[in-house]
Amino acid sequence: MNELVIRRDDPAAAHVAALLAYHLAELRSVMASHAFALDATGLSAPEVTFWTAWRGDALAGFVALKVLDDRQGELKSMRAAPAFRGTGVGRALLLHVIAEARARGYARLNLETGTGALHAPAVALYRSAGFVGCDAFADYAPSPYNQFMTMVF
């Protein structure tokens, strides 16, 4: 299998559109108004850095890192393409964002995710990387549909 290549990318690019639409639709189907995933416009904001992961010519996934302030960031919109689930793409993307957060000198990396069965594999991945539960941060409010995690460096 081809080596996974992670590169900075444009979330509004045509090659991202189908996977991003799938991501947003799936989250909204289980979280309704509590799905806070960003669309292409939100992922294109100056405070967000967006990366795609590729195996050969195939888009394997994407992830984003949002600046919250000069000491902390937020992991946003991590998604492995359905054909690449269970192949290590999610872990590679997560480790890439953690490394970037450390390189930026952040003291903390936060994330918001869901509480349903759909999110269980991602939550297990986050916990295995060292994330722990925390209170809501930034502009989030707690709900039965959301949970919050953090990693302190």
Side-chain angles (χ1 to χ4, degrees):
M1 187 178 283
N2 293 334
E3 177 184 349
L4 187 71
V5 175
I6 299 173
R7 68 179 194 220
R8 194 165 175 175
D9 212 333
D10 176 2
H15 59 263
V16 175
L19 183 56
L20 182 56
Y22 172 81
H23 175 66
L24 294 171
E26 185 177 56
L27 292 178
R28 289 174 182 150
S29 75
V30 297
M31 298 176 72
S33 65
H34 297 281
F36 297 112
L38 299 175
D39 61 12
T41 300
L43 291 168
S44 297
E47 67 273 12
V48 178
T49 306
F50 181 82
W51 295 273
T52 51
W54 297 83
R55 282 238 161 91
D57 293 335
L59 176 61
F62 58 73
V63 69
L65 176 60
K66 180 179 179 181
V67 176
L68 296 179
D69 61 39
D70 63 348
R71 300 293 293 146
Q72 61 183 329
E74 178 184 359
L75 178 116
K76 293 294 295 180
S77 299
M78 192 169 84
R79 170 63 68 159
F84 292 95
R85 286 186 179 159
T87 66
V89 170
R91 182 167 299 279
L93 289 166
L94 180 60
L95 293 175
H96 182 82
V97 169
I98 291 169
E100 179 67 20
R102 285 188 169 130
R104 292 181 183 188
Y106 291 165
R108 177 182 300 269
L109 180 59
N110 302 300
L111 65 89
E112 173 275 331
T113 192
T115 57
L118 171 70
H119 294 91
V123 170
L125 175 62
Y126 300 143
R127 290 194 187 286
S128 75
F131 282 86
V132 296
C134 68
D135 291 333
F137 59 91
D139 295 332
Y140 293 110
S143 85
Y145 300 95
N146 306 88
Q147 61 182 309
F148 307 93
M149 303 179 84
T150 192
M151 174 183 277
V152 177
F153 301 118

